[in-house]
Amino acid sequence: MDGLRVLITRQQIAAKVSEMGARITADFAGEPVVLIGVLKGSTIFLADLARQIQLDASFDFIAVSSYGNAKQHSGEVRLVKDVDHSLEGKNVILVEDILDTGLTLGYIKSLFQAHQPKSIKIAALLDKVSRRTEPIEADYVGFAIPDEFVVGYGLDFAERYRNLPDVCILEACSDGA
Ligand code: 5GP
Protein backbone atom coordinates (compact mmCIF):
# COMPACT_ATOMS: atom_id res chain seq x y z
CA MET A 1 0.00 0.00 0.00
CA ASP A 2 1.16 3.57 -0.71
CA GLY A 3 3.11 5.29 2.05
CA LEU A 4 3.67 2.08 3.99
CA ARG A 5 6.99 0.34 4.50
CA VAL A 6 7.15 -3.06 6.19
CA LEU A 7 9.22 -2.89 9.38
CA ILE A 8 8.42 -6.30 10.89
CA THR A 9 7.03 -9.11 8.78
CA ARG A 10 4.18 -11.42 9.80
CA GLN A 11 6.67 -14.30 9.95
CA GLN A 12 8.94 -12.39 12.34
CA ILE A 13 5.95 -11.49 14.47
CA ALA A 14 4.71 -15.09 14.60
CA ALA A 15 8.14 -16.40 15.65
CA LYS A 16 8.52 -13.73 18.35
CA VAL A 17 5.00 -14.15 19.73
CA SER A 18 5.59 -17.87 19.99
CA GLU A 19 8.83 -17.23 21.96
CA MET A 20 7.04 -14.78 24.26
CA GLY A 21 4.25 -17.30 24.90
CA ALA A 22 6.78 -20.01 25.74
CA ARG A 23 8.55 -17.71 28.21
CA ILE A 24 5.28 -16.76 29.91
CA THR A 25 4.27 -20.43 30.08
CA ALA A 26 7.58 -21.31 31.74
CA ASP A 27 7.58 -18.31 34.12
CA PHE A 28 4.13 -19.02 35.54
CA ALA A 29 4.73 -22.76 35.84
CA GLY A 30 1.16 -24.04 35.71
CA GLU A 31 -0.49 -21.12 37.53
CA PRO A 32 -3.54 -19.41 36.00
CA VAL A 33 -3.09 -15.98 34.39
CA VAL A 34 -5.41 -13.13 33.42
CA LEU A 35 -4.48 -11.42 30.17
CA ILE A 36 -5.67 -7.83 30.15
CA GLY A 37 -5.72 -6.19 26.75
CA VAL A 38 -5.65 -2.46 26.29
CA LEU A 39 -8.28 -1.70 23.64
CA LYS A 40 -8.12 -1.56 20.75
CA GLY A 41 -4.52 -1.82 19.59
CA SER A 42 -3.60 -4.93 21.59
CA THR A 43 -6.41 -7.18 20.38
CA ILE A 44 -4.60 -8.94 17.55
CA PHE A 45 -1.43 -9.39 19.61
CA LEU A 46 -3.47 -10.70 22.56
CA ALA A 47 -5.33 -13.19 20.35
CA ASP A 48 -2.06 -14.58 18.98
CA LEU A 49 -0.13 -14.48 22.26
CA ALA A 50 -2.93 -16.22 24.19
CA ARG A 51 -2.77 -19.18 21.80
CA GLN A 52 0.95 -19.57 22.55
CA ILE A 53 0.44 -19.68 26.31
CA GLN A 54 -0.06 -23.19 27.65
CA LEU A 55 -1.72 -22.16 30.92
CA ASP A 56 -5.21 -21.67 32.26
CA ALA A 57 -5.76 -18.15 30.86
CA SER A 58 -8.71 -15.77 31.03
CA PHE A 59 -9.15 -12.45 29.22
CA ASP A 60 -10.30 -9.02 30.27
CA PHE A 61 -10.09 -5.67 28.49
CA ILE A 62 -9.70 -2.07 29.48
CA ALA A 63 -9.87 1.13 27.47
CA VAL A 64 -8.01 4.33 28.16
CA SER A 65 -8.01 7.63 26.42
CA SER A 66 -5.02 9.87 26.38
CA TYR A 67 -5.39 13.49 25.58
CA GLY A 68 -3.46 14.81 22.62
CA ASN A 69 -3.23 13.62 19.03
CA ALA A 70 -1.92 10.38 17.54
CA LYS A 71 1.71 11.42 17.76
CA GLN A 72 1.81 13.74 20.74
CA HIS A 73 0.89 12.52 24.20
CA SER A 74 -0.45 15.24 26.49
CA GLY A 75 0.61 13.35 29.61
CA GLU A 76 -2.94 12.81 30.84
CA VAL A 77 -4.50 9.34 30.76
CA ARG A 78 -8.11 8.52 31.66
CA LEU A 79 -9.73 5.12 32.21
CA VAL A 80 -12.70 4.74 29.85
CA LYS A 81 -13.49 1.06 30.48
CA ASP A 82 -12.44 -0.84 33.59
CA VAL A 83 -11.95 -4.61 33.99
CA ASP A 84 -15.09 -6.73 34.41
CA HIS A 85 -13.71 -8.95 37.18
CA SER A 86 -11.70 -8.50 40.35
CA LEU A 87 -7.93 -8.90 39.98
CA GLU A 88 -7.31 -9.60 43.64
CA GLY A 89 -4.88 -12.49 44.09
CA LYS A 90 -4.55 -13.02 40.31
CA ASN A 91 -1.51 -13.22 38.07
CA VAL A 92 -2.14 -10.26 35.81
CA ILE A 93 -0.41 -9.81 32.46
CA LEU A 94 -1.06 -6.44 30.85
CA VAL A 95 -0.94 -6.88 27.10
CA GLU A 96 -0.10 -3.76 25.10
CA ASP A 97 0.73 -3.15 21.45
CA ILE A 98 3.43 -0.57 21.97
CA LEU A 99 5.32 1.02 24.83
CA ASP A 100 6.18 4.60 23.88
CA THR A 101 6.55 7.29 26.56
CA GLY A 102 5.31 4.78 29.15
CA LEU A 103 2.59 7.12 30.42
CA THR A 104 -0.27 4.76 29.53
CA LEU A 105 1.20 1.62 31.06
CA GLY A 106 2.58 3.52 34.04
CA TYR A 107 -0.93 4.79 34.77
CA ILE A 108 -2.59 1.38 34.26
CA LYS A 109 -0.01 -0.49 36.30
CA SER A 110 -0.37 1.82 39.30
CA LEU A 111 -4.16 1.64 39.01
CA PHE A 112 -4.07 -2.17 39.02
CA GLN A 113 -1.67 -2.38 41.92
CA ALA A 114 -4.53 -1.09 44.06
CA HIS A 115 -6.51 -4.26 43.14
CA GLN A 116 -3.88 -6.29 45.03
CA PRO A 117 -3.10 -8.85 42.33
CA LYS A 118 -0.72 -11.68 43.15
CA SER A 119 1.61 -10.43 40.43
CA ILE A 120 1.52 -7.91 37.62
CA LYS A 121 3.61 -8.17 34.45
CA ILE A 122 3.66 -6.30 31.17
CA ALA A 123 3.87 -7.87 27.71
CA ALA A 124 4.43 -5.36 24.91
CA LEU A 125 4.91 -6.32 21.29
CA LEU A 126 6.84 -3.15 20.43
CA ASP A 127 9.06 -0.87 22.46
CA LYS A 128 10.12 2.62 21.34
CA VAL A 129 12.91 2.76 23.87
CA SER A 130 14.20 6.21 22.90
CA ARG A 131 10.82 7.84 23.62
CA ARG A 132 10.47 6.73 27.23
CA THR A 133 9.80 9.46 29.80
CA GLU A 134 8.44 7.22 32.59
CA PRO A 135 10.42 4.69 34.66
CA ILE A 136 8.57 1.66 33.29
CA GLU A 137 9.73 -1.37 31.34
CA ALA A 138 7.90 -4.36 29.91
CA ASP A 139 8.69 -7.80 31.35
CA TYR A 140 8.14 -9.39 27.94
CA VAL A 141 9.10 -7.35 24.86
CA GLY A 142 8.74 -8.40 21.26
CA PHE A 143 10.79 -5.86 19.31
CA ALA A 144 12.64 -2.66 20.15
CA ILE A 145 11.86 -0.25 17.30
CA PRO A 146 13.10 3.18 16.21
CA ASP A 147 11.09 6.35 16.72
CA GLU A 148 8.80 5.98 13.72
CA PHE A 149 5.01 5.95 13.59
CA VAL A 150 3.92 2.37 12.97
CA VAL A 151 0.61 0.79 11.99
CA GLY A 152 -0.69 -2.73 11.38
CA TYR A 153 -1.12 -5.85 13.51
CA GLY A 154 -3.69 -3.97 15.61
CA LEU A 155 -2.08 -0.53 15.50
CA ASP A 156 -4.03 2.22 13.76
CA PHE A 157 -3.84 5.67 12.35
CA ALA A 158 -7.29 7.29 12.65
CA GLU A 159 -8.75 3.74 13.01
CA ARG A 160 -7.23 2.52 9.72
CA TYR A 161 -4.61 -0.15 9.07
CA ARG A 162 -5.30 -2.31 12.16
CA ASN A 163 -5.87 -5.33 9.92
CA LEU A 164 -2.49 -5.24 8.17
CA PRO A 165 -0.67 -8.50 8.97
CA ASP A 166 2.77 -6.82 9.15
CA VAL A 167 3.95 -3.91 11.29
CA CYS A 168 4.57 -1.05 8.87
CA ILE A 169 6.00 2.44 9.07
CA LEU A 170 3.45 5.00 7.96
CA GLU A 171 5.89 7.16 6.08
CA ALA A 172 3.66 10.16 5.46
CA CYS A 173 3.19 10.32 9.21
CA SER A 174 6.65 9.67 10.65
CA ASP A 175 8.50 12.84 11.40
CA GLY A 176 11.04 11.14 13.62
CA ALA A 177 10.51 13.89 16.20
P1 5GP B 1 2.57 5.82 25.74
O1 5GP B 1 1.58 6.12 26.79
O2 5GP B 1 3.55 4.72 26.09
O3 5GP B 1 3.28 7.06 25.24
O4 5GP B 1 1.77 5.41 24.47
C1 5GP B 1 1.25 4.20 24.25
C2 5GP B 1 0.14 4.32 23.23
O5 5GP B 1 0.44 5.32 22.23
C3 5GP B 1 0.00 3.03 22.47
O6 5GP B 1 -0.88 2.17 23.12
C4 5GP B 1 -0.53 3.51 21.15
O7 5GP B 1 -1.93 3.67 21.26
C5 5GP B 1 0.07 4.89 20.96
N1 5GP B 1 1.26 4.85 20.08
C6 5GP B 1 2.53 5.14 20.42
N2 5GP B 1 3.35 5.00 19.38
C7 5GP B 1 2.58 4.61 18.33
C8 5GP B 1 2.86 4.28 16.96
O8 5GP B 1 3.98 4.32 16.45
N3 5GP B 1 1.79 3.91 16.20
C9 5GP B 1 0.51 3.84 16.70
N4 5GP B 1 -0.43 3.46 15.85
N5 5GP B 1 0.22 4.14 17.98
C10 5GP B 1 1.24 4.52 18.79
Side-chain angles (χ1 to χ4, degrees):
M1 240 184 277
D2 271 2
L4 293 173
R5 181 158 54 87
V6 174
L7 179 67
I8 308 169
T9 66
R10 63 201 78 182
Q11 292 84 0
Q12 290 172 310
I13 296 170
K16 186 63 77 176
V17 170
S18 162
E19 258 174 47
M20 294 172 85
R23 273 192 55 209
I24 291 170
T25 303
D27 287 357
F28 287 90
E31 289 194 31
V33 294
V34 185
L35 304 178
I36 300 187
V38 184
L39 294 170
K40 304 170 191 167
S42 72
T43 50
I44 292 180
F45 175 43
L46 186 144
D48 283 347
L49 181 65
R51 284 176 288 178
Q52 301 298 328
I53 295 175
Q54 315 301 319
L55 298 169
D56 176 357
S58 56
F59 299 173
D60 213 330
F61 292 92
I62 58 164
V64 293
S65 83
S66 30
Y67 296 96
N69 59 41
K71 288 193 288 174
Q72 203 58 51
H73 211 301
S74 71
E76 234 182 296
V77 183
R78 190 166 56 97
L79 190 67
V80 175
K81 184 214 168 295
D82 205 345
V83 285
D84 295 332
H85 301 284
S86 165
L87 302 176
E88 196 179 334
K90 305 274 174 65
N91 291 309
V92 170
I93 303 177
L94 272 169
V95 180
E96 179 60 309
D97 48 8
I98 185 165
L99 186 49
D100 185 29
T101 62
L103 280 161
T104 306
L105 280 174
Y107 167 80
I108 297 168
K109 194 173 178 184
S110 59
L111 200 71
F112 283 0
Q113 258 145 3
H115 290 238
Q116 298 184 300
K118 179 174 182 188
S119 65
I120 180 160
K121 301 283 182 196
I122 294 175
L125 179 72
L126 306 173
D127 188 357
K128 276 188 195 172
V129 185
S130 68
R131 293 259 308 161
R132 195 83 81 259
T133 59
E134 304 305 300
I136 189 151
E137 295 305 327
D139 302 279
Y140 306 97
V141 180
F143 303 90
I145 63 165
D147 183 13
E148 302 270 14
F149 193 80
V150 290
V151 294
Y153 198 70
L155 287 149
D156 76 312
F157 178 66
E159 297 301 328
R160 294 182 62 200
Y161 309 113
R162 291 194 196 275
N163 60 325
L164 297 177
D166 309 303
V167 170
C168 301
I169 294 174
L170 186 58
E171 298 198 298
C173 201
S174 287
D175 55 13

